[in-house]
Structure formats: structure tokens, C-alpha cells
Amino acid sequence: SVQEGTLEEFDSLRYKGYSMYYKGKAFLRPQVLVDFNRIRPGELYSEQDVQNTYSNLGRLRALKYSNIRFREVNGENSTQLDAYVFLAKNKNKSMAFEVEGTNSAGDLGAAASVSFQHRNVFKGSETFMMKVRGAYEAITGLGVASQDYVNDNYMEYGVESSLNFPQFMFPFLSSNFKKKIRATSEVGLKFTSQVRPEFSRKSSAFQEYLDSMSLRNSALKASYENQLVVRTGYSFTYNSAGNAMMRTPTKNFYSIRANIEEAGNLLYAASKLVHPNPKDGEDYVLANIPFAQYVKADFDFAKNFMIDPRNSFVFHIGVGVAYPYGNSKMLPFEKRYFSGGANSVRGWSVRSLGPGVYKGSEDGRMDFINQAGDIKLDLNIEYRTHLFWKLNGAAFVDAGNIWTIRDDSGQEGGLFKFNEFYKQI
């Protein structure tokens, strides 16, 4: 409760019609407090405004928690309320050390990482993060040809940093619009080095393989060349169970996840204005690096049918389509779809299914390069049951595949055709 005189021991300031009280130094800028508060002086009380204020403040990582209390204004027949918004400061800096055990389609490994985080860099709840990570994985199934591989395991190390803003940081947008949308902005820089049995992406052996591919398939080789990806995307997630997902659900529910992203369109339009035709007929470049241009959309739907609190059926369908155009002959490798593995068709190991009826190369070396596509379909149905104690069990059937959009990809049998694709699932 708020008692008379309890705020006298605090320092205070007045900003845009709001009274703000703090001890020592204010740890958030006044403008941030105004932007994330939906309770306005002089307006009618609204429970929705209160909930929106809680939701907005919950996005500020500089806060440990928030609390809103109301008190009637003294006076006869007064219909006014004073609103007090209490904010508790979180710890600004933290260090974390993580150790993981990994299982990638049967290949066991371990990973470790160290990270540093500052949750209030510029007194606006901006979060800076830096992380160093290393991983090792023992690769199985190389067979008698293992002596032909560069390595017999998988290693990865990398460093990444990011700066996250709790608001939508985009020019030319009104302050009122930025307040209404619940969006964040993030800039980041990441470097990762990978060494697989088939290749090291910095090794001469891999480059020689790409050069040999150019004689057969220049389009597929293009997916491995240096490309700048400047993208914009939108994600939508909905779960009909709402807060019930925090505990064991007892009713049927469903979830929807949709993503769409595009890359390179603004850069392509700007480049086209400056140079109607690319130099020497090649791709447009930025900082001497060709930039990727594509559109990509994914849709996932899952339905949970509850039989009783211990048993349920789950159906899932996932569809993805990506189309390169303009400045790109083919998608960057990291943006292409693959099939197989724990989160796809579990009868196949990672990147070993498709595209279509593609049969692979004769010796099988580096064939994962060819087993990627532009269209993906995943179908899953599971029966889930509680066994005993903390153990649950499931029986499942998975189906799916990937396909290519272009006929010149060099992946024979991988082209998507409406009158054939269903036969290749």
C-alpha cells in the first residue's frame, strides 16, 4: 500500500506530466518510462491499459519486476485515482557458463560456452551480449571410405555479439506507432568456423570440390559462395491453450507458427537506379560482396487431441517455400531446406533425405551438398502417453521430403512437380 509521506525520502523529477521518484541515480531514462507506460493522466480507468503496461514493462530486461497500485484521491465525491507504478531494478551485468551434451541423429558430442550480458547499456534497457562457444561431435557411419575424408569428427567454434533494443528502431516512424507495436530491434555480429569430415569451409579441398562442381553445376556452386544477406522478416505464433501450456493441458488445443522474410529487394532497387545493368553482366555487389535476393515463407500447424490427462494424439504439418530471384541464382546454403533428423522425418538422419527422388552421387562423398532444396514438407502424427514417474513415451509416424524449384540445380529427380511430388513423400 502507499501511505502519505512515504515518497518524501526519494529524489524526484517531473517529466511530461509524470512524477518520477528514485533513490540514488535513476537507472532508466524518463522517456523510456513514458513510452512503456499505457496509463495516461486524465483518462478513464482501463484494465486493458493496466495489463498492457505490465506487458510492456515485462519486456524491459533492466527490470526485475513491476507492480501497479491504485489509491483513491482524497475529497468528497471524488472519482479520481492515483496510479503508482513500482519498478525494481535487475542486476545489470551477468556471466554464464554452459555445458551441453548433444545428440545429432545418433552422433554424440559436447559443447561449452561462456557469455557476458549487460541489460542496461544506455539506461534504456538495451541489452548487450557477447558469447564464445565451442563444440565437438563424433561422426559415425563414415564406413570403409573414412580414410578419404578430411576429418573423422565435427568441430565448431565461434564468437557472437548482439545489441538488443526494447523498441522498434526504424526511421520515419511516428513515436505513437512505435509505442503501439510490441516489437524489439537487434543488431549482431557472429563468426563461426566449422570442420566436418567432408570438408572445412576454409580448406583448399572444399574449394577444389566447388571448382570441380562449376563444370557440372554452376548454380549449386553459387549457394556456397560469399553472399551478403540483408533481410527483413515477420513471425507470428499463436497457441490456443494460452497459459494452460504452463501446466499439463486437459483440453484439445492447437498452435500456429508462420514466418515470412525477404532479402535484397531494397538493395537491388537502389543498385538498379545507379546502374541499370550489373557490371560485366555479373551480380550487383555491396562492399564487393554479392548480396542475396529471395523471399521465403514457412507455416507450421500442430493439433493436440487429448484422450485423457495421460494420453493424447498430436498431428503436425510443416510447409516451407523459398524462391531466389533477381541477384541470386540459388539460395545461400544456410537458407536452403533439408530433411531428416530429430525435428523432421526421423527415419532418416540429418540432411540425408531428398530432394525428391534424387539418388545421390556414386561415391556418396559430400553428397549433403546436393541434399538441400527450396521446398519442404513435413507430416507427423504421434501417440503420446505417460509411462510412470517423470517418464513419457511416444509412437510416431513421419513423412515428408524436400524439392528444388529450378530444373538446372543438377539434383536429378529433385524438381517439384504437382503431378509427381505426392508420390515422392
Side-chain angles (χ1 to χ4, degrees), residues 93-113:
K93 303 173 184 178
S94 64
M95 291 281 294
F97 177 72
E98 298 179 359
V99 178
E100 309 168 35
T102 60
N103 183 338
S104 301
D107 294 332
L108 301 180
S113 64

Side-chain angles (χ1 to χ4, degrees), residues 12-70:
S12 64
L13 61 87
R14 187 82 175 168
Y15 184 81
K16 292 188 177 181
Y18 293 86
S19 298
M20 302 179 184
Y21 302 86
Y22 56 92
K23 282 187 176 181
K25 293 183 178 181
F27 63 93
L28 286 174
R29 298 193 307 271
Q31 184 64 54
V32 175
L33 299 178
V34 172
D35 288 346
F36 282 76
N37 173 42
R38 304 305 298 173
I39 303 173
R40 304 302 183 195
E43 294 186 0
L44 291 174
Y45 173 85
S46 168
E47 178 65 20
Q48 188 62 52
D49 288 343
V50 176
Q51 293 303 318
N52 286 340
T53 301
Y54 271 122
S55 178
N56 287 348
L57 295 175
R59 291 162 45 210
L60 298 179
R61 300 179 187 178
L63 297 181
K64 189 174 183 180
Y65 64 84
S66 61
N67 200 352
I68 303 175
R69 290 289 180 266
F70 292 91

Side-chain angles (χ1 to χ4, degrees), residues 311-331:
N311 299 276
S312 65
F313 275 104
V314 181
F315 169 76
H316 165 256
I317 179 172
V319 180
V321 180
Y323 182 69
Y325 58 95
N327 213 47
S328 294
K329 299 181 183 68
M330 187 164 287
L331 288 168

Side-chain angles (χ1 to χ4, degrees), residues 262-319:
E262 63 81 25
N265 289 320
L266 289 177
L267 288 176
Y268 188 83
S271 300
K272 202 74 173 175
L273 288 174
V274 178
H275 299 289
N277 296 309
K279 184 179 179 181
D280 300 326
E282 298 179 353
D283 298 331
Y284 288 114
V285 298
L286 181 64
N288 291 323
I289 302 176
F291 55 84
Q293 188 177 8
Y294 64 85
V295 61
K296 182 178 182 181
D298 301 273
F299 177 81
D300 278 86
F301 174 82
K303 175 73 173 180
N304 192 306
F305 300 92
M306 298 299 300
I307 302 173
D308 56 47
R310 298 172 62 93
N311 299 276
S312 65
F313 275 104
V314 181
F315 169 76
H316 165 256
I317 179 172
V319 180

